[in-house]
Amino acid sequence: MAVLWLILKVLLWILLGLLALLTATLLAPVTAELGWSGEKGTWANVRVFGVRIRLFPRKEKAEKKKSKTPGGGKAPKGSVKAPPEQEKAPGSAGNDPQSGRKKTAAGQKAAKSAAPEKRFELTLDAVRGIAGTAGGFMGKVLAALRVHHIRVYLPVHGQDAAATALAVGRLHAVLGAALGALQNFFRLEFAQYELEPDYTGENAGKAFFSCKITAHAIIMLIACIWALVRLKKQHVI
């Protein structure tokens, strides 16, 4: 009986330790680092307990070793060379490389049309619309998210100087209204906000955006689940 009670006490202490660890993890501050640039693409990191975890893009895996089939290597099983009398003549339809290429291209087009790839399209208006649906508890959750170190650089290039100036003015108005609405739901702290008229077009492709989102892990988890559900309902993903 004493041994059984000792085992039970050990199990209880282990469960209490795991519960304490889970509670500490959920209450720990977590920072998500997000960014995009025209030159490097999209990237995302998570920092928790001072450790940075890379989420995207994934590190390239090591290349697999190629199997040595020529020379001393063994041929794969099931690969049997057809006898010469069964090979088709060069002029036959089955051995025509052009017809084979056409059939392959047609097959690829048919496969793409049959199963179109679903793209992820998330605009500033979509984010504002999703945040606008938050109320009560979710409004408090979103308000607990601190979006800081926001850096925006967007060169604007038009057909001529007048078109470029008009485009910059329109973009300033649209982004100003959208960001003003988002500040009703999020704590936004900008480190850089620059819309540059690119009259020569030399800065094309140098646009970038980055930000850090800090909150407790439990708040971040609730916000992510809620955002995914809203994005699914609005057919964004």
Side-chain angles (χ1 to χ4, degrees):
M1 189 67 182
V3 176
L4 183 61
W5 177 244
L6 179 62
I7 295 175
L8 184 59
K9 286 175 64 177
V10 171
L11 291 177
L12 287 175
W13 278 110
I14 292 175
L15 290 176
L16 287 175
L18 292 176
L19 183 60
L21 180 61
L22 179 61
T23 304
T25 303
L26 292 177
L27 296 180
V30 177
T31 299
E33 302 174 351
L34 310 176
W36 172 88
S37 68
E39 298 177 345
K40 297 181 180 180
T42 306
W43 54 269
N45 300 322
V46 170
R47 184 185 293 272
V48 57
F49 294 120
V51 179
R52 177 180 293 177
I53 303 172
R54 184 177 182 178
L55 298 180
F56 186 84
R58 294 288 186 179
K59 293 182 179 180
E60 297 181 358
K61 296 181 179 180
E63 295 182 359
K64 296 181 178 180
K65 295 181 180 180
K66 298 180 180 179
S67 57
K68 298 180 181 180
T69 50
K74 295 182 179 180
K77 295 181 179 180
S79 60
V80 181
K81 187 177 181 180
E85 59 269 15
Q86 292 183 3
E87 295 181 357
K88 295 183 179 181
S92 61
N95 203 27
D96 188 6
Q98 294 183 356
S99 62
R101 292 171 186 167
K102 291 180 180 178
K103 290 180 180 179
T104 304
Q108 291 177 354
K109 290 181 179 180
K112 289 181 180 180
S113 60
E117 184 180 358
K118 192 173 183 180
R119 296 178 59 189
F120 177 79
E121 296 182 356
L122 183 61
T123 61
L124 194 61
D125 290 336
V127 174
R128 185 177 58 178
I130 293 170
T133 60
F137 173 73
M138 281 312 305
K140 295 179 180 179
V141 170
L142 295 182
L145 297 175
R146 179 182 169 224
V147 187
H148 56 104
H149 287 82
I150 305 173
R151 301 175 63 89
V152 179
Y153 172 73
L154 184 61
V156 182
H157 176 65
Q159 295 180 351
D160 51 25
T164 299
L166 288 175
V168 171
R170 294 194 192 99
L171 200 56
H172 264 299
V174 172
L175 290 179
L179 293 176
L182 287 177
Q183 285 180 345
N184 295 325
F185 308 99
F186 302 99
R187 297 164 55 190
L188 303 180
E189 301 175 10
F190 284 85
Q192 179 182 2
Y193 180 80
E194 185 176 358
L195 300 182
E196 180 182 4
D198 186 13
Y199 297 106
T200 61
E202 60 183 4
N203 293 327
K206 294 183 179 180
F208 66 83
F209 164 81
S210 65
C211 71
K212 296 180 181 180
I213 305 174
T214 301
H216 293 295
I218 184 64
I219 297 295
M220 195 83 74
L221 181 62
I222 294 173
C224 288
I225 294 175
W226 177 81
L228 288 175
V229 172
R230 298 302 306 176
L231 291 172
K232 192 69 176 177
K233 286 185 177 180
Q234 296 190 10
H235 305 287
V236 178
I237 57 174

